[in-house]
Amino acid sequence: MTSKTAYSKAVRRSLPSKYLQVGMVLIASSLLLFLLSGLGAAQSLPAAEQPFALQELEDPLHDIVLPTMYAMLEADVSPTLADATLINRFRFIVSLAMFDAAAPYHPTAVGMYTRIERRPENEWTDANINQAMLRAAYQALRGLLPEREPVWRNMLASYGLDPDNASADLRTPAGIGNAAGIGAIQARFHDGINQAGDYLDTTGYAPVNSAYELRDASRWQPGLRRLGIGVYSVQQFVTPQLANMEPMALFNPRELRVENPSASAPENWEAYIAQVDQVLAASANLSEEQKLKAELFDNKVASLGFSYLKIADDLQLSPADIVRGYFLKASAWMDASIMIWQEKARFDAVRPFSAIAHVYGDEPVTAWGGPGQGTQTIPASQWQAYLPEADHPEYPSGTTCGCYAHAQALRRLTGTDELNWSVSYPAGTSRIEPGVTPARDTTLTFATWTDFAKDCGDSRNWSGVHFLPAVENSAESCNVFGDMAYEYFLTLMDGTAPPRQPAQATQVDPWLLAARQSPPPLAVVPENTYPTPLTCENISASVEVSAINNGIVCAGVDLSGLSTLGNLLDAVSISGALHLGAQVCFDKPGTVASIQDEGATMKIVELTSYNLPNRTCAWVDEPGTLVLVPAAHGLLNCTVTVLENLRLRRSPGDGAVITIVPANARLLADRESGDWLHVSYEGRSGWVSALYVTAEGSC
């Protein structure tokens, strides 16, 4: 092993402590050294020394590719490396390119997008694999940030590789790497995040509130940031179109939802005040350990990257296996963020800084008073979070969700919850309170991935950027993304994953589309409404009926008798004097619908639903059976039989093919879109053409 190789290895293993000790930020000056020498320290090689052999590179991903990439992301995308949406897409695509490049040098693995013929076992050397992976990363980075072409060229040239080698020979490492990198870019170029349009919003999102006026105290208010004397900027919702990006794992984000943040609605005033007071109490009692953990998890490179390096070193993973594990955990975080951004756009929820000022105005509150100021009594309107406010609505918490997905993916990969990762902070090395925090040398320790994920989520509440429900509901919902990413990852590794078509944007969230296209439904019952008609008082504790007059008759419904209609959550039969209308509310989230009897068959018809605190409601003026169903659009409940082999597609029309459904298969259809039916087949859900099936039941 050459001296350079030994030094690179030592630097890589010291990365967590080295960088965390200088304030948890990968500062540009130290990172640019990577561009010059490929090393992570302030030392350069003698000019006469030649690049060392590729087989001696133990971790090209962390020693070469990521430091080079992060330096450019810090300069061009995110100065603090905290804007997770774009940074993680870069990480995902670069590791995807390297993953696909390594696949031909494995007994069974296949690429996600490029299917290159397996090479003979005598070619499975680190030298070949490292060259293929580095060239794949080079091509991916060229596609992601073409304006930084000189940097990417230097990255290859510094390690003895010719950037101008455009070989397409799939029998060589150069050809394999070029094909995998170009394939990754081409496959993800139209994945829904609008790379072709410089990542500009494609959803038409517009905030209800301005940075200067809180018109709706339940909704997100963009923050105002001081850039210099008299110079300010207003926050914009960063990449709301991320909600429409195609995931890595095979799932439909529209089928995954989180609970409504009811405490963020001012009409639920007691709960609104309670969650404001909880944030203020956490702010007033911030400990040094909580501050350091908040800073650690705010820096996604330090927390996610270095925790993964810890287990990669513990397991002594090969260069290719380091890339594979990194690809897995980056995919889990990316998939989690798609659902989170979907729900952020749906709820558009208020941040604590706006709600605190709304509740208390200029009244004095006790809270953290600013960097180095400790706990103070300050006007509520001057309250600030310990961490900078992120550029998107509050609910749910993206960082919490990402940490739980990351932890679960690596827990599945390693087969253990053990982590045993420690992070040391010398006195005064806080990013927010430099020279003050911590007062003495401090070490943070995370014994398990469970501890890691919980502290990550809790830190968002301690630091004042999230209310507690945003953290708790994300924690409950997000392990699944680690599981789904790992299950798909296994199919890539064992070679059973079907060929994947280029990614495309998923359909716009039907909930959001309907909310923007339809006028807000009347959600207030007239003042002279009886609280509950006499005949409805004891029908069900979960159903509430109110009306203009008292001539309404309610009756309970046996859901087991309606089992052929699918998954019904609740039901009530309404009749009587309905000419003036009645409001029917269920105490669960969902969609209110009516059952229509058409002779031999029955079908479910959606009504216009609206939300009141802790209730889902609809206004009805005709008798019938009202049911609560899981939120969906174009509801169906029927069985169809496939007439010939059909493609199961990711979306109606020309969506990517998931698999082939054989003739005579019987499928349950739960919704429709034009001539397409949404069905499930062997655990996978997608769309089939309604023109090639026969239907039974309530279709």
Side-chain angles (χ1 to χ4, degrees), residues 217-507:
S218 70
R219 306 284 289 278
W220 181 55
Q221 180 181 31
L224 192 64
R225 290 179 176 170
R226 182 178 182 272
L227 300 180
I229 298 176
V231 180
Y232 296 85
S233 69
V234 174
Q235 286 181 315
Q236 303 290 324
F237 188 171
V238 60
T239 58
Q241 72 275 12
L242 176 64
N244 300 330
M245 191 165 80
E246 181 180 304
M248 171 267 210
L250 302 176
F251 69 95
N252 182 355
R254 308 301 179 243
E255 296 174 353
L256 300 173
R257 302 290 183 179
V258 294
E259 185 179 328
N260 181 24
S262 58
S264 292
E267 56 263 33
N268 192 5
W269 190 239
E270 290 185 4
Y272 193 92
I273 294 177
Q275 75 172 8
V276 161
D277 288 345
Q278 189 276 325
V279 169
L280 287 172
S283 176
N285 293 284
L286 263 177
S287 68
E288 285 196 338
E289 180 177 318
Q290 289 175 329
K291 292 176 182 179
L292 296 177
K293 287 181 177 178
E295 294 182 29
L296 170 62
F297 290 111
D298 196 47
N299 186 322
K300 307 306 185 288
V301 174
S303 54
L304 305 180
F306 293 159
S307 62
Y308 174 63
L309 267 175
K310 166 62 166 59
I311 66 167
D313 278 341
D314 285 349
L315 297 175
Q316 291 293 291
L317 298 181
S318 70
D321 283 338
I322 289 172
V323 166
R324 290 170 181 132
Y326 190 94
F327 167 68
L328 167 63
K329 64 102 171 175
S331 300
W333 179 288
M334 188 194 74
D335 283 1
S337 65
I338 293 171
M339 185 279 285
I340 290 293
W341 253 243
Q342 165 188 280
E343 300 297 86
K344 281 183 180 289
R346 187 159 78 103
F347 296 120
D348 196 31
V350 65
R351 287 267 178 189
F353 79 92
S354 300
I356 289 170
H358 176 67
V359 171
Y360 291 113
D362 289 326
E363 292 182 33
V365 296
T366 302
W368 178 69
Q373 300 302 307
T375 300
Q376 303 280 330
T377 299
I378 56 175
S381 58
Q382 296 180 19
W383 179 88
Q384 59 182 308
Y386 182 78
L387 293 175
E389 302 286 351
D391 296 303
H392 41 79
E394 186 267 344
Y395 183 93
S397 168
T399 296
T400 302
C401 191
C403 281
Y404 274 81
H406 167 94
Q408 181 64 3
L410 295 178
R411 192 184 285 121
R412 295 288 303 274
L413 180 69
T414 61
T416 179
D417 191 39
E418 290 186 13
L419 176 56
N420 298 317
W421 179 46
S422 295
V423 183
S424 296
Y425 286 82
T429 54
S430 160
R431 171 168 63 92
I432 303 298
E433 296 186 321
V436 175
T437 300
R440 59 185 60 84
D441 294 354
T442 300
T443 297
L444 305 178
T445 299
F446 305 92
T448 63
W449 284 116
T450 299
D451 297 337
F452 174 94
K454 187 175 189 312
D455 281 346
C456 173
D458 288 345
S459 72
R460 308 306 283 177
N461 177 243
W462 298 333
S463 59
V465 295
H466 280 293
F467 293 117
L468 198 54
V471 171
E472 293 175 339
N473 289 335
S474 292
E476 291 176 2
S477 304
C478 292
N479 273 350
V480 66
F481 297 104
D483 287 324
M484 290 190 296
Y486 181 70
E487 295 298 330
Y488 181 66
F489 171 82
L490 284 183
T491 67
L492 292 173
M493 291 303 299
D494 66 19
T496 61
R500 186 105 171 213
Q501 297 298 312
Q504 61 180 3
T506 56
Q507 290 183 310

Side-chain angles (χ1 to χ4, degrees), residues 498-499 501 642 644-650 655-665 667 679-682 684 687-688:
Q501 297 298 312
V642 177
E644 57 184 67
N645 291 349
L646 281 187
R647 294 179 177 88
L648 182 69
R649 296 184 179 273
R650 195 171 303 286
V657 176
I658 299 172
T659 189
I660 301 298
V661 181
N664 301 317
L667 312 172
V679 300
S680 295
Y681 174 69
E682 292 187 343
R684 301 175 179 178
W687 297 84
V688 296

Side-chain angles (χ1 to χ4, degrees), residues 122-165:
N122 65 343
E123 295 181 15
W124 299 358
T125 65
D126 283 349
N128 286 339
I129 295 171
N130 287 342
Q131 180 180 176
M133 293 195 303
L134 283 171
R135 289 191 180 278
Y138 167 67
Q139 297 293 354
L141 289 167
R142 291 179 71 203
L144 289 165
L145 274 181
E147 60 271 28
R148 291 294 186 176
E149 173 82 10
V151 175
W152 315 137
R153 290 178 61 84
N154 185 66
M155 179 184 76
L156 276 195
S158 295
Y159 285 86
L161 298 177
D162 180 6
D164 294 319
N165 183 347

